[in-house]
Amino acid sequence: NLGVHCFDAATGKKVWDHDVMKKNNGVNIKWQNAASPVIDGEILLMAGGGKGQALLGLNKKTGAVKWKGEDDQMTHATPVIADILGVHQCIFFTQTGLVAVNPQSGKVLWRGEHPYKVSTAASPVIWQDIVYCSSGYGVGASCFKISKAGGGLKAERIWRRENECFNHWSTPVVKDGHLYGMFSFKEYGAGPLACVDIRTGQDKWKTPGFGPGQVILAGDKIIALSDKGEVVVVEANPDTYTELKRQDVLDGKVWSYPVLAYDHIFARSTK
């Protein structure tokens, strides 16, 4: 319950643990935590603490708190590491929106406001100096352009699609300025795989029949796993939907991410 644990990979023996609920006045959320901690160098980054310590940087070898700060309540979204305009940063997707920090110190670099309702679960997506985010439950998508300002960084919203362009919990991938992913909300078995221009928010194409599945970018191919268990390989081409292969591989409900390892796909379902 908002505990983070470190184990020796060879033996499975616990090295350390850190209870965010007890040590940082942790505030859990509906359906509890689904975000993964992220490691950058020697620092493990996570959210979930209370006021003044909502965002945390731990020493990955000892679990000791190196820095803590801010009041942002956590979401189900995993933070991401990025380099934007030459500045290394960790971007959290909290209940106030996007907040980028210096991973080593916790200093806030910029913020971008985005509404919160019920749950936010897909991670931010970065392309060059643009950061995209989206959530379900009537919220939709926001996109920000990052620029240098007075020795620091600032974020300016460049487009917003309210109550549409949903990524319920599946994080889209980006290639050559175009997002590819599952864009729907509670359209189980029906929601589309779609391509969206990250610079404008314009839909390039949509193909139904996927639901809230998941996508992997592999070279110039999109590997899509639908919520009903079909693996579909599609060209990462914004001009047209070109399907290369489709195979039904799983029964049951498929909400978890597949894994691509060399020439194998590992996937699982409720069955």
Side-chain angles (χ1 to χ4, degrees):
N1 204 3
L2 282 183
V4 59
H5 305 265
C6 175
F7 298 92
D8 183 278
T11 66
K13 182 180 178 182
K14 185 185 289 186
V15 180
W16 57 261
D17 60 34
H18 184 89
D19 189 331
V20 174
M21 298 296 285
K22 289 182 179 178
K23 294 182 178 179
N24 305 106
N25 292 326
V27 181
N28 219 323
I29 49 178
K30 188 176 184 179
W31 303 304
Q32 300 191 20
N33 180 49
S36 300
V38 171
I39 291 175
D40 183 68
E42 298 297 304
I43 302 296
L44 180 148
L45 298 116
M46 62 182 297
K51 286 194 173 183
Q53 51 185 336
L55 309 181
L56 295 163
L58 309 184
N59 182 310
K60 73 174 183 182
K61 293 180 179 177
T62 67
V65 175
K66 184 172 180 184
W67 60 260
K68 58 186 179 181
E70 307 309 309
D71 298 336
D72 300 72
Q73 286 188 271
M74 71 183 297
T75 66
H76 295 107
T78 296
V80 293
I81 301 294
D83 290 278
I84 303 175
L85 300 176
V87 181
H88 191 61
Q89 53 199 277
C90 179
I91 304 173
F92 288 88
F93 195 1
T94 72
Q95 292 185 27
T96 58
L98 300 181
V99 52
V101 305
N102 179 316
Q104 301 302 311
S105 68
K107 178 187 176 183
V108 172
L109 302 172
W110 58 266
R111 285 180 172 274
E113 290 187 6
H114 182 79
Y116 176 83
K117 293 179 186 176
V118 185
S119 171
T120 288
S123 292
V125 179
I126 299 96
W127 182 72
Q128 296 181 353
D129 58 356
I130 294 175
V131 185
Y132 164 90
C133 65
S134 176
S135 38
Y137 300 93
V139 176
S142 295
C143 200
F144 301 88
K145 188 175 182 67
I146 312 304
S147 60
K148 295 196 173 183
L153 298 176
K154 69 174 184 178
E156 178 186 6
R157 182 186 283 140
I158 52 174
W159 59 267
R160 169 93 171 96
R161 290 181 61 180
E162 187 173 352
N163 199 26
E164 57 183 23
C165 198
F166 297 117
N167 299 124
H168 192 173
W169 60 72
S170 172
T171 304
V173 296
V174 64
K175 180 175 172 58
D176 300 332
H178 292 91
L179 296 157
Y180 299 88
M182 310 298 185
F183 291 84
S184 64
F185 182 69
K186 293 191 175 181
E187 295 179 45
Y188 304 116
L193 176 69
C195 174
V196 177
D197 190 327
I198 197 171
R199 293 156 288 203
T200 64
Q202 178 188 7
D203 292 329
K204 305 299 285 188
W205 49 255
K206 287 183 177 182
T207 299
F210 288 86
Q214 309 288 357
V215 292
I216 296 171
L217 176 64
D220 58 357
K221 309 285 191 299
I222 304 298
I223 300 171
L225 179 64
S226 73
D227 68 342
K228 54 182 182 276
E230 290 183 321
V231 171
V232 184
V233 182
V234 177
E235 287 186 1
N237 181 353
D239 296 326
T240 182
Y241 174 87
T242 304
E243 188 173 303
L244 303 174
K245 182 174 177 63
R246 179 184 292 256
Q247 186 169 336
D248 191 352
V249 298
L250 290 169
D251 295 325
K253 185 165 61 177
V254 187
W255 284 3
S256 55
Y257 261 97
V259 174
L260 175 65
Y262 304 102
D263 58 351
H264 285 69
I265 294 172
F266 297 85
R268 66 186 180 96
S269 72
T270 52
K271 292 190 177 182

